[in-house]
Amino acid sequence: LIAAYSGVLRGERQAEADRSQRSHGGPALSREGSGRWGVACSAILMYIFCTDCWLIAVLYFTWLVFDWNTPKKGGRRSQWVRNWAVWRYFRDYFPIQLVKTHNLLTTRNYIFGYHPHGIMGLGAFCNFSTEATEVSKKFPGIRPYLATLAGNFRMPVLREYLMSGGICPVSRDTIDYLLSKNGSGNAIIIVVGGAAESLSSMPGKNAVTLRNRKGFVKLALRHGADLVPIYSFGENEVYKQVIFEEGSWGRWVQKKFQKYIGFAPCIFHGRGLFSSDTWGLVPYSKPITTVVGEP
């Protein structure tokens, strides 16, 4: 049943993801990071199939079939998950700050255009999929939905966590639903530059990818939603990346991955786990200040 259902949807989902990537912008979260977690969750479930607890895995996959479209309707937000203490430690490590410049009316819907993507989109994640920076108190009555690649929601178990944080697929169907059938006070955060913008992420440089990215503007016009510009100062400072020049073989490979798979592989590094003088995948503790502009 699962195989048949997946087969029917595979072509539709791939086409939808490609359209979303081109029209609305790219992922707000690292595809590489979430992919690893998704593979780990799938491996654990496969292992459970081979144990005496196999019935649990069968029941979960059966339920997954009937729950497949829930992410497209905004998912299942959990204030308990969004208020986990670990997010406050995460915020204080950099630290990350959310700056409000204007009030947002609860009678309106919004599309937040977020820049820059950076390597991981850490500012977008902390500010809008957790309550570490008190986004609900600064914008009372506004429900933020952080948009990321639809492929992340095909990962068992991982999808449940993403939905609990208020994260949704960056697809036309999802955005149409949230802006037309979910009442008012919805704010969809789209990292407009996506994977293309991540290729320009490096300390000391502020470059955005906006040309030919008008899909989110058309959706806002169609549904009468307000556009809100957002910029995260410091997002590009937390990782160092090897930048390939235009025309080089490295940039050619990155663009091919971006076109056909949906993300661009970046060669980057942060600090080591136990020392800031060594290389590793831990981001540097550089301040990230996210400023929400005027609708």
Side-chain angles (χ1 to χ4, degrees):
L1 178 60
I2 296 172
Y5 190 81
S6 299
V8 170
L9 293 180
R10 187 177 298 116
E12 174 188 344
R13 291 199 307 264
Q14 184 60 48
E16 174 187 74
D18 293 341
R19 290 195 303 269
S20 300
Q21 184 75 14
R22 291 191 299 267
S23 301
H24 307 143
L29 303 177
S30 167
R31 176 65 180 266
E32 296 92 331
S34 59
R36 283 193 288 269
W37 281 110
V39 170
C41 292
S42 299
I44 292 173
L45 283 173
M46 292 300 104
Y47 171 76
I48 293 176
F49 265 121
C50 301
T51 68
D52 292 338
C53 299
W54 60 269
L55 184 59
I56 296 176
V58 171
L59 291 174
Y60 175 76
F61 276 112
T62 302
W63 174 80
L64 185 62
V65 171
F66 296 99
D67 190 61
W68 190 261
N69 288 322
T70 299
K72 296 180 180 180
K73 298 180 180 180
R76 288 181 292 270
R77 183 187 305 267
S78 169
Q79 288 301 115
W80 175 68
V81 173
R82 289 175 61 89
N83 281 285
W84 279 352
V86 67
W87 305 136
R88 294 192 291 273
Y89 292 114
F90 179 81
R91 172 200 64 195
D92 295 339
Y93 170 77
F94 295 94
I96 297 175
Q97 180 183 8
L98 180 64
V99 178
K100 171 185 176 180
T101 62
H102 289 80
N103 292 323
L104 299 180
L105 299 175
T106 59
T107 56
R108 303 285 296 172
N109 284 322
Y110 303 91
I111 294 181
F112 289 3
Y114 184 99
H115 290 282
H117 183 286
I119 297 295
M120 296 283 187
L122 299 175
F125 170 78
C126 183
N127 286 305
F128 300 110
S129 67
T130 80
E131 291 296 330
T133 55
E134 300 184 327
V135 61
S136 293
K137 292 182 179 179
K138 293 179 179 178
F139 299 100
I142 301 298
R143 294 182 299 275
Y145 292 91
L146 180 59
T148 186
L149 284 179
N152 291 328
F153 296 89
R154 302 169 202 159
M155 305 291 185
V157 182
L158 176 65
R159 68 190 290 276
E160 317 302 334
Y161 161 69
L162 294 177
M163 287 192 290
S164 68
I167 302 175
C168 68
V170 59
S171 65
R172 185 180 300 275
D173 289 344
T174 303
I175 297 173
D176 282 339
Y177 180 89
L178 292 175
L179 295 181
S180 64
K181 300 179 181 179
N182 200 46
S184 59
N186 302 291
I188 303 171
I189 300 91
I190 300 177
V191 184
V192 179
E197 194 170 80
S198 68
L199 298 179
S200 301
S201 174
M202 61 180 297
K205 181 178 181 180
N206 288 282
V208 300
T209 301
L210 189 57
R211 185 177 300 159
N212 299 326
R213 304 257 171 165
K214 303 182 180 68
F216 71 104
V217 179
K218 294 176 182 177
L219 287 172
L221 289 170
R222 180 183 303 163
H223 296 289
D226 293 341
L227 294 174
V228 178
I230 300 179
Y231 199 89
S232 266
F233 297 91
E235 184 73 61
N236 289 340
E237 307 296 320
V238 297
Y239 282 107
K240 295 179 180 178
Q241 180 184 188
V242 177
I243 301 294
F244 294 101
E245 298 296 330
E246 289 291 340
S248 66
W249 68 269
R251 182 54 66 96
W252 180 84
V253 170
Q254 288 176 322
K255 287 186 175 181
K256 289 298 181 182
F257 265 81
Q258 177 190 338
K259 179 178 179 180
Y260 293 109
I261 300 181
F263 74 94
C266 301
I267 301 176
F268 65 92
H269 72 85
R271 51 160 291 177
L273 182 60
F274 301 106
S275 173
S276 60
D277 297 325
T278 60
W279 288 10
L281 294 179
V282 178
Y284 293 105
S285 55
K286 301 292 184 179
I288 299 177
T289 303
T290 302
V291 182
V292 180
E294 179 181 4

